Every structure is written in structure tokens, then in C-alpha cells.
Amino acid sequence: MNLSSRYDESVSFLSSIDDDWARLIELVGSCRHDPKAAREPYEALVRAIAYLQLTAKAGDAILGRLKALFEGRDFPHPEQLITADFDAMRACGFSASKIATIKAIAEGALTGVVPSRENAVIMDDETLIARMVTIKGVGRWTVEMLLMYSLERMDVLPVDDFGVREGYRALKSLAEQPKPRELRQLSQAWSPHRTVAAWYLWRMPRERGNVLT
């Protein structure tokens, strides 16, 4: 099954919601959501923190410099990040708060707060979120990225995400973005395809008003 065809059911469902969704999907084209299922939750969380509030290009560069500190490994082990030199991580481009969070995630991986992939796949979304937001600096959005991109969960909508809320505002020609609670309620009608819905909302043109008419 190719990347786009695996989402045919979700795309068909979302297209049937209303004309706005149908036009957005026609404009963007096939869904190319590309999760990295082989990654352990620990690595996925560290990556999510690295990319937080950055462009993909900037996040790639920072992660590349981090991995270069630990030659011979595809990704540093938790023990390596715990003992990593603060100044060396700062030189990679991480802020002090991100360094603290990354080290806390590494600690959580060693203590079991961050489960292995084997254990994570049998845990439901809210259980995983509740467990991992106990790590200082890890919020719901970070865990939702793990759910979407590492565990391949298909019904996740990160309602706190600016891009998702702005995408929906533009889609519906709203004067303001919906509040997270409102969007969560609205999105119940998109279940169980909310991950694909988020992927399309991230790609909604952002001009004021509905640009699909």
C-alpha cells in the first residue's frame, strides 16, 4: 500500500463532511502524512521538543548537531543525554529550557515514566498523555506529536496547535480562531479520522476569509 492510498478512507470521509472540506482536500491533494513508526517514544519526545516553535529546517539542523556529538549512533541513548555537557547542547542551538526538558525526558526513559514502544502501543491516548505530561516541560501537544508520528494513532487532533486552529478559522471564514475546547467538540464529528484532518488543516492557506470559494 502506498503512502497516499492508506488514507483513502479518511480522505473520503473528510471530503463528505461539507463543501469546504471537499475543496480543501481537492486543493491540497492526497494525504502524505508520514509517521515514523520505528522510533521509540523517548526519541519521538526528544525530537518533538527539538522542533517546538521552530521551522522544520531549523529543527533538522539542531538535531543534526546534537547527533554529531555522539558519533557512531543514529540517536543518543538516554544515559548520554543525561550526562551531555550543557554548553555543548547550547552550541547545538537548544535553549536552556529545552535542554532541561530533554534531560528530563531521558531521565524518564530510564525510570520508566516514558514507556518503551512495546508498552506504549497497548496504552490508550489519554493514559499516555496523562503519564508523560508529568515530565517537566512536556505538554499535551508534545505527546500528541508522539501519538501521531511515532505510534500512528489515527484519531488525534492537537487542538492547542496554532496551525490547526488557524487552519480551521480560515477554512470556515471565522473572524477568530476557535478555542481549543470548542474545536475539540467540533472535531468529534471528524472521528476517527482526526489525524488526517489535522494534516489538512496544517496545509490550509492562511489568508483572511475563506480562500476556497
Side-chain angles (χ1 to χ4, degrees):
M1 181 182 294
N2 63 41
L3 187 62
S4 60
S5 64
R6 69 184 293 190
Y7 303 118
D8 283 351
E9 181 182 354
S10 296
V11 170
S12 177
F13 176 88
L14 294 170
S15 295
S16 71
I17 292 174
D18 59 31
D19 289 344
D20 289 333
W21 275 103
R23 284 192 292 268
L24 172 58
I25 290 168
E26 182 180 5
L27 174 70
V28 175
S30 299
C31 178
R32 298 179 301 280
H33 174 58
D34 189 17
K36 305 299 181 184
R39 287 179 182 156
E40 284 289 315
Y42 148 74
E43 179 180 345
L45 287 175
V46 172
R47 285 176 173 274
I49 292 298
Y51 284 93
L52 186 62
Q53 297 179 327
L54 295 176
T55 65
K57 183 178 180 180
D60 287 344
I62 288 174
L63 273 176
R65 290 192 287 268
L66 177 68
K67 290 190 286 185
L69 297 177
F70 308 97
E71 294 182 10
R73 296 197 179 278
D74 290 335
F75 201 81
H77 286 181
E79 297 90 341
Q80 292 177 304
L81 288 182
I82 289 172
T83 59
D85 180 73
F86 176 88
D87 289 335
M89 292 186 71
R90 283 287 283 160
C92 291
F94 292 106
S95 65
S97 61
K98 283 190 176 183
I99 292 171
T101 299
I102 287 170
K103 287 179 176 288
I105 291 169
E107 190 73 47
L110 295 182
T111 61
V113 175
V114 179
S116 66
R117 178 173 176 80
E118 182 181 10
N119 290 329
V121 294
I122 60 175
M123 299 170 68
D124 66 64
D125 294 355
E126 291 302 324
T127 298
L128 279 165
I129 291 170
R131 179 167 170 169
M132 286 193 274
V133 297
T134 62
I135 300 171
K136 186 175 181 180
V138 173
R140 185 181 181 93
W141 179 91
T142 304
V143 187
E144 287 169 337
M145 295 303 103
L146 160 69
L147 294 172
M148 296 172 73
Y149 286 96
S150 182
L151 298 180
E152 299 185 279
R153 301 291 170 88
M154 288 296 295
D155 198 30
V156 178
L157 189 82
V159 296
D160 297 308
D161 186 277
F162 177 89
V164 167
R165 289 188 289 122
E166 177 62 11
Y168 187 77
R169 183 209 62 74
L171 181 72
K172 293 298 179 182
S173 301
L174 303 176
E176 297 179 350
Q177 292 182 0
K179 301 297 184 186
R181 181 180 296 181
E182 179 186 1
L183 186 56
R184 183 174 288 111
Q185 184 174 2
L186 287 167
S187 74
Q188 290 176 7
W190 315 339
S191 181
H193 307 284
R194 286 181 283 190
T195 295
V196 174
W199 188 90
Y200 278 102
L201 289 174
W202 275 322
R203 286 155 181 82
M204 174 70 199
R206 303 297 173 81
E207 290 86 351
R208 284 282 162 182
N210 187 318
V211 298
L212 303 178
T213 55

PDB file of all heavy atoms in Angstrom, residues 103-129:
ATOM      1  N   LYS A 103      16.711  16.525  29.030  1.00  0.00           N
ATOM      2  CA  LYS A 103      17.346  15.726  30.076  1.00  0.00           C
ATOM      3  C   LYS A 103      16.287  15.054  30.969  1.00  0.00           C
ATOM      4  O   LYS A 103      16.459  13.906  31.411  1.00  0.00           O
ATOM      5  CB  LYS A 103      18.299  16.590  30.907  1.00  0.00           C
ATOM      6  CG  LYS A 103      19.593  16.948  30.162  1.00  0.00           C
ATOM      7  CD  LYS A 103      20.493  17.817  31.008  1.00  0.00           C
ATOM      8  CE  LYS A 103      21.826  18.095  30.307  1.00  0.00           C
ATOM      9  NZ  LYS A 103      22.714  16.911  30.256  1.00  0.00           N
ATOM     10  N   ALA A 104      15.168  15.752  31.202  1.00  0.00           N
ATOM     11  CA  ALA A 104      14.088  15.162  31.998  1.00  0.00           C
ATOM     12  C   ALA A 104      13.435  13.991  31.248  1.00  0.00           C
ATOM     13  O   ALA A 104      13.059  12.982  31.855  1.00  0.00           O
ATOM     14  CB  ALA A 104      13.047  16.224  32.336  1.00  0.00           C
ATOM     15  N   ILE A 105      13.300  14.120  29.935  1.00  0.00           N
ATOM     16  CA  ILE A 105      12.766  13.018  29.131  1.00  0.00           C
ATOM     17  C   ILE A 105      13.702  11.811  29.191  1.00  0.00           C
ATOM     18  O   ILE A 105      13.259  10.667  29.339  1.00  0.00           O
ATOM     19  CB  ILE A 105      12.565  13.466  27.668  1.00  0.00           C
ATOM     20  CG1 ILE A 105      11.424  14.488  27.576  1.00  0.00           C
ATOM     21  CG2 ILE A 105      12.272  12.267  26.761  1.00  0.00           C
ATOM     22  CD1 ILE A 105      11.339  15.190  26.222  1.00  0.00           C
ATOM     23  N   ALA A 106      15.000  12.081  29.074  1.00  0.00           N
ATOM     24  CA  ALA A 106      15.980  10.997  29.157  1.00  0.00           C
ATOM     25  C   ALA A 106      15.905  10.299  30.509  1.00  0.00           C
ATOM     26  O   ALA A 106      15.951   9.067  30.602  1.00  0.00           O
ATOM     27  CB  ALA A 106      17.384  11.551  28.906  1.00  0.00           C
ATOM     28  N   GLU A 107      15.760  11.096  31.562  1.00  0.00           N
ATOM     29  CA  GLU A 107      15.610  10.523  32.908  1.00  0.00           C
ATOM     30  C   GLU A 107      14.340   9.685  32.978  1.00  0.00           C
ATOM     31  O   GLU A 107      14.326   8.577  33.543  1.00  0.00           O
ATOM     32  CB  GLU A 107      15.558  11.649  33.937  1.00  0.00           C
ATOM     33  CG  GLU A 107      15.635  11.199  35.393  1.00  0.00           C
ATOM     34  CD  GLU A 107      17.025  10.743  35.795  1.00  0.00           C
ATOM     35  OE1 GLU A 107      18.003  11.443  35.484  1.00  0.00           O
ATOM     36  OE2 GLU A 107      17.119   9.670  36.417  1.00  0.00           O
ATOM     37  N   GLY A 108      13.266  10.198  32.392  1.00  0.00           N
ATOM     38  CA  GLY A 108      12.005   9.465  32.388  1.00  0.00           C
ATOM     39  C   GLY A 108      12.096   8.148  31.639  1.00  0.00           C
ATOM     40  O   GLY A 108      11.427   7.161  31.990  1.00  0.00           O
ATOM     41  N   ALA A 109      12.919   8.109  30.588  1.00  0.00           N
ATOM     42  CA  ALA A 109      13.098   6.866  29.840  1.00  0.00           C
ATOM     43  C   ALA A 109      13.788   5.815  30.696  1.00  0.00           C
ATOM     44  O   ALA A 109      13.483   4.612  30.597  1.00  0.00           O
ATOM     45  CB  ALA A 109      13.907   7.125  28.572  1.00  0.00           C
ATOM     46  N   LEU A 110      14.698   6.258  31.546  1.00  0.00           N
ATOM     47  CA  LEU A 110      15.419   5.313  32.404  1.00  0.00           C
ATOM     48  C   LEU A 110      14.577   4.851  33.586  1.00  0.00           C
ATOM     49  O   LEU A 110      14.698   3.703  34.033  1.00  0.00           O
ATOM     50  CB  LEU A 110      16.717   5.957  32.910  1.00  0.00           C
ATOM     51  CG  LEU A 110      17.770   6.272  31.846  1.00  0.00           C
ATOM     52  CD1 LEU A 110      19.016   6.854  32.493  1.00  0.00           C
ATOM     53  CD2 LEU A 110      18.146   5.018  31.048  1.00  0.00           C
ATOM     54  N   THR A 111      13.703   5.710  34.088  1.00  0.00           N
ATOM     55  CA  THR A 111      12.890   5.350  35.258  1.00  0.00           C
ATOM     56  C   THR A 111      11.591   4.648  34.874  1.00  0.00           C
ATOM     57  O   THR A 111      10.877   4.150  35.744  1.00  0.00           O
ATOM     58  CB  THR A 111      12.553   6.606  36.079  1.00  0.00           C
ATOM     59  OG1 THR A 111      11.802   7.513  35.264  1.00  0.00           O
ATOM     60  CG2 THR A 111      13.824   7.282  36.592  1.00  0.00           C
ATOM     61  N   GLY A 112      11.260   4.668  33.562  1.00  0.00           N
ATOM     62  CA  GLY A 112      10.043   4.000  33.126  1.00  0.00           C
ATOM     63  C   GLY A 112       8.848   4.906  32.948  1.00  0.00           C
ATOM     64  O   GLY A 112       7.780   4.438  32.540  1.00  0.00           O
ATOM     65  N   VAL A 113       8.994   6.188  33.254  1.00  0.00           N
ATOM     66  CA  VAL A 113       7.882   7.113  33.015  1.00  0.00           C
ATOM     67  C   VAL A 113       7.583   7.186  31.519  1.00  0.00           C
ATOM     68  O   VAL A 113       6.421   7.204  31.112  1.00  0.00           O
ATOM     69  CB  VAL A 113       8.210   8.520  33.570  1.00  0.00           C
ATOM     70  CG1 VAL A 113       7.103   9.511  33.206  1.00  0.00           C
ATOM     71  CG2 VAL A 113       8.387   8.468  35.075  1.00  0.00           C
ATOM     72  N   VAL A 114       8.628   7.223  30.715  1.00  0.00           N
ATOM     73  CA  VAL A 114       8.461   7.131  29.265  1.00  0.00           C
ATOM     74  C   VAL A 114       8.512   5.652  28.895  1.00  0.00           C
ATOM     75  O   VAL A 114       9.552   5.016  29.045  1.00  0.00           O
ATOM     76  CB  VAL A 114       9.567   7.897  28.511  1.00  0.00           C
ATOM     77  CG1 VAL A 114       9.377   7.756  27.005  1.00  0.00           C
ATOM     78  CG2 VAL A 114       9.565   9.364  28.912  1.00  0.00           C
ATOM     79  N   PRO A 115       7.416   5.076  28.450  1.00  0.00           N
ATOM     80  CA  PRO A 115       7.393   3.636  28.186  1.00  0.00           C
ATOM     81  C   PRO A 115       8.149   3.281  26.917  1.00  0.00           C
ATOM     82  O   PRO A 115       8.397   4.125  26.060  1.00  0.00           O
ATOM     83  CB  PRO A 115       5.902   3.335  28.029  1.00  0.00           C
ATOM     84  CG  PRO A 115       5.326   4.613  27.500  1.00  0.00           C
ATOM     85  CD  PRO A 115       6.115   5.712  28.155  1.00  0.00           C
ATOM     86  N   SER A 116       8.508   2.018  26.811  1.00  0.00           N
ATOM     87  CA  SER A 116       9.057   1.519  25.560  1.00  0.00           C
ATOM     88  C   SER A 116       7.952   1.505  24.510  1.00  0.00           C
ATOM     89  O   SER A 116       6.762   1.568  24.845  1.00  0.00           O
ATOM     90  CB  SER A 116       9.590   0.096  25.746  1.00  0.00           C
ATOM     91  OG  SER A 116       8.507  -0.789  26.024  1.00  0.00           O
ATOM     92  N   ARG A 117       8.335   1.394  23.259  1.00  0.00           N
ATOM     93  CA  ARG A 117       7.324   1.312  22.206  1.00  0.00           C
ATOM     94  C   ARG A 117       6.435   0.087  22.414  1.00  0.00           C
ATOM     95  O   ARG A 117       5.224   0.145  22.207  1.00  0.00           O
ATOM     96  CB  ARG A 117       7.998   1.246  20.826  1.00  0.00           C
ATOM     97  CG  ARG A 117       6.981   1.110  19.715  1.00  0.00           C
ATOM     98  CD  ARG A 117       7.557   1.213  18.321  1.00  0.00           C
ATOM     99  NE  ARG A 117       6.503   0.981  17.348  1.00  0.00           N
ATOM    100  CZ  ARG A 117       5.622   1.882  16.982  1.00  0.00           C
ATOM    101  NH1 ARG A 117       5.674   3.102  17.489  1.00  0.00           N
ATOM    102  NH2 ARG A 117       4.662   1.592  16.119  1.00  0.00           N
ATOM    103  N   GLU A 118       7.036  -1.011  22.833  1.00  0.00           N
ATOM    104  CA  GLU A 118       6.281  -2.245  23.064  1.00  0.00           C
ATOM    105  C   GLU A 118       5.142  -2.026  24.056  1.00  0.00           C
ATOM    106  O   GLU A 118       4.038  -2.538  23.880  1.00  0.00           O
ATOM    107  CB  GLU A 118       7.220  -3.342  23.565  1.00  0.00           C
ATOM    108  CG  GLU A 118       6.551  -4.677  23.793  1.00  0.00           C
ATOM    109  CD  GLU A 118       7.511  -5.724  24.316  1.00  0.00           C
ATOM    110  OE1 GLU A 118       8.657  -5.373  24.689  1.00  0.00           O
ATOM    111  OE2 GLU A 118       7.121  -6.910  24.365  1.00  0.00           O
ATOM    112  N   ASN A 119       5.406  -1.262  25.101  1.00  0.00           N
ATOM    113  CA  ASN A 119       4.368  -0.982  26.099  1.00  0.00           C
ATOM    114  C   ASN A 119       3.437   0.135  25.647  1.00  0.00           C
ATOM    115  O   ASN A 119       2.227   0.105  25.927  1.00  0.00           O
ATOM    116  CB  ASN A 119       5.010  -0.611  27.429  1.00  0.00           C
ATOM    117  CG  ASN A 119       5.690  -1.784  28.099  1.00  0.00           C
ATOM    118  OD1 ASN A 119       5.264  -2.929  27.944  1.00  0.00           O
ATOM    119  ND2 ASN A 119       6.760  -1.525  28.827  1.00  0.00           N
ATOM    120  N   ALA A 120       3.977   1.123  24.945  1.00  0.00           N
ATOM    121  CA  ALA A 120       3.167   2.272  24.541  1.00  0.00           C
ATOM    122  C   ALA A 120       2.050   1.875  23.576  1.00  0.00           C
ATOM    123  O   ALA A 120       0.953   2.436  23.632  1.00  0.00           O
ATOM    124  CB  ALA A 120       4.053   3.336  23.901  1.00  0.00           C
ATOM    125  N   VAL A 121       2.304   0.902  22.708  1.00  0.00           N
ATOM    126  CA  VAL A 121       1.302   0.562  21.696  1.00  0.00           C
ATOM    127  C   VAL A 121       0.033  -0.041  22.302  1.00  0.00           C
ATOM    128  O   VAL A 121      -1.019  -0.038  21.650  1.00  0.00           O
ATOM    129  CB  VAL A 121       1.878  -0.404  20.634  1.00  0.00           C
ATOM    130  CG1 VAL A 121       2.973   0.266  19.822  1.00  0.00           C
ATOM    131  CG2 VAL A 121       2.373  -1.700  21.261  1.00  0.00           C
ATOM    132  N   ILE A 122       0.116  -0.525  23.528  1.00  0.00           N
ATOM    133  CA  ILE A 122      -1.077  -1.111  24.145  1.00  0.00           C
ATOM    134  C   ILE A 122      -1.748  -0.150  25.124  1.00  0.00           C
ATOM    135  O   ILE A 122      -2.730  -0.505  25.772  1.00  0.00           O
ATOM    136  CB  ILE A 122      -0.751  -2.449  24.844  1.00  0.00           C
ATOM    137  CG1 ILE A 122       0.285  -2.255  25.956  1.00  0.00           C
ATOM    138  CG2 ILE A 122      -0.273  -3.493  23.835  1.00  0.00           C
ATOM    139  CD1 ILE A 122       0.562  -3.518  26.762  1.00  0.00           C
ATOM    140  N   MET A 123      -1.227   1.086  25.219  1.00  0.00           N
ATOM    141  CA  MET A 123      -1.810   2.094  26.093  1.00  0.00           C
ATOM    142  C   MET A 123      -2.683   3.034  25.276  1.00  0.00           C
ATOM    143  O   MET A 123      -2.372   3.354  24.133  1.00  0.00           O
ATOM    144  CB  MET A 123      -0.707   2.884  26.800  1.00  0.00           C
ATOM    145  CG  MET A 123       0.192   2.025  27.682  1.00  0.00           C
ATOM    146  SD  MET A 123       1.656   2.926  28.285  1.00  0.00           S
ATOM    147  CE  MET A 123       0.869   4.100  29.393  1.00  0.00           C
ATOM    148  N   ASP A 124      -3.808   3.486  25.845  1.00  0.00           N
ATOM    149  CA  ASP A 124      -4.667   4.408  25.103  1.00  0.00           C
ATOM    150  C   ASP A 124      -4.097   5.820  25.152  1.00  0.00           C
ATOM    151  O   ASP A 124      -3.206   6.137  25.950  1.00  0.00           O
ATOM    152  CB  ASP A 124      -6.110   4.371  25.626  1.00  0.00           C
ATOM    153  CG  ASP A 124      -6.242   4.887  27.055  1.00  0.00           C
ATOM    154  OD1 ASP A 124      -5.974   6.082  27.282  1.00  0.00           O
ATOM    155  OD2 ASP A 124      -6.613   4.098  27.935  1.00  0.00           O
ATOM    156  N   ASP A 125      -4.623   6.674  24.278  1.00  0.00           N
ATOM    157  CA  ASP A 125      -4.079   8.020  24.101  1.00  0.00           C
ATOM    158  C   ASP A 125      -4.033   8.804  25.408  1.00  0.00           C
ATOM    159  O   ASP A 125      -3.001   9.375  25.773  1.00  0.00           O
ATOM    160  CB  ASP A 125      -4.909   8.800  23.076  1.00  0.00           C
ATOM    161  CG  ASP A 125      -4.820   8.221  21.677  1.00  0.00           C
ATOM    162  OD1 ASP A 125      -4.044   7.261  21.462  1.00  0.00           O
ATOM    163  OD2 ASP A 125      -5.530   8.742  20.798  1.00  0.00           O
ATOM    164  N   GLU A 126      -5.156   8.872  26.102  1.00  0.00           N
ATOM    165  CA  GLU A 126      -5.231   9.719  27.289  1.00  0.00           C
ATOM    166  C   GLU A 126      -4.352   9.197  28.421  1.00  0.00           C
ATOM    167  O   GLU A 126      -3.816   9.989  29.202  1.00  0.00           O
ATOM    168  CB  GLU A 126      -6.681   9.859  27.748  1.00  0.00           C
ATOM    169  CG  GLU A 126      -7.547  10.684  26.794  1.00  0.00           C
ATOM    170  CD  GLU A 126      -7.017  12.096  26.559  1.00  0.00           C
ATOM    171  OE1 GLU A 126      -6.469  12.698  27.503  1.00  0.00           O
ATOM    172  OE2 GLU A 126      -7.145  12.589  25.428  1.00  0.00           O
ATOM    173  N   THR A 127      -4.188   7.890  28.511  1.00  0.00           N
ATOM    174  CA  THR A 127      -3.299   7.320  29.525  1.00  0.00           C
ATOM    175  C   THR A 127      -1.862   7.732  29.257  1.00  0.00           C
ATOM    176  O   THR A 127      -1.126   8.125  30.171  1.00  0.00           O
ATOM    177  CB  THR A 127      -3.419   5.791  29.552  1.00  0.00           C
ATOM    178  OG1 THR A 127      -4.755   5.435  29.897  1.00  0.00           O
ATOM    179  CG2 THR A 127      -2.457   5.183  30.577  1.00  0.00           C
ATOM    180  N   LEU A 128      -1.460   7.663  27.992  1.00  0.00           N
ATOM    181  CA  LEU A 128      -0.103   8.078  27.630  1.00  0.00           C
ATOM    182  C   LEU A 128       0.113   9.564  27.882  1.00  0.00           C
ATOM    183  O   LEU A 128       1.149   9.975  28.398  1.00  0.00           O
ATOM    184  CB  LEU A 128       0.154   7.758  26.152  1.00  0.00           C
ATOM    185  CG  LEU A 128       0.546   6.317  25.833  1.00  0.00           C
ATOM    186  CD1 LEU A 128       0.417   6.049  24.336  1.00  0.00           C
ATOM    187  CD2 LEU A 128       1.970   6.034  26.298  1.00  0.00           C
ATOM    188  N   ILE A 129      -0.881  10.374  27.519  1.00  0.00           N
ATOM    189  CA  ILE A 129      -0.751  11.814  27.734  1.00  0.00           C
ATOM    190  C   ILE A 129      -0.626  12.128  29.220  1.00  0.00           C
ATOM    191  O   ILE A 129       0.279  12.861  29.635  1.00  0.00           O
ATOM    192  CB  ILE A 129      -1.954  12.562  27.112  1.00  0.00           C
ATOM    193  CG1 ILE A 129      -1.887  12.490  25.580  1.00  0.00           C
ATOM    194  CG2 ILE A 129      -1.976  14.025  27.562  1.00  0.00           C
ATOM    195  CD1 ILE A 129      -3.135  12.977  24.880  1.00  0.00           C
TER     196      ILE A 129
END
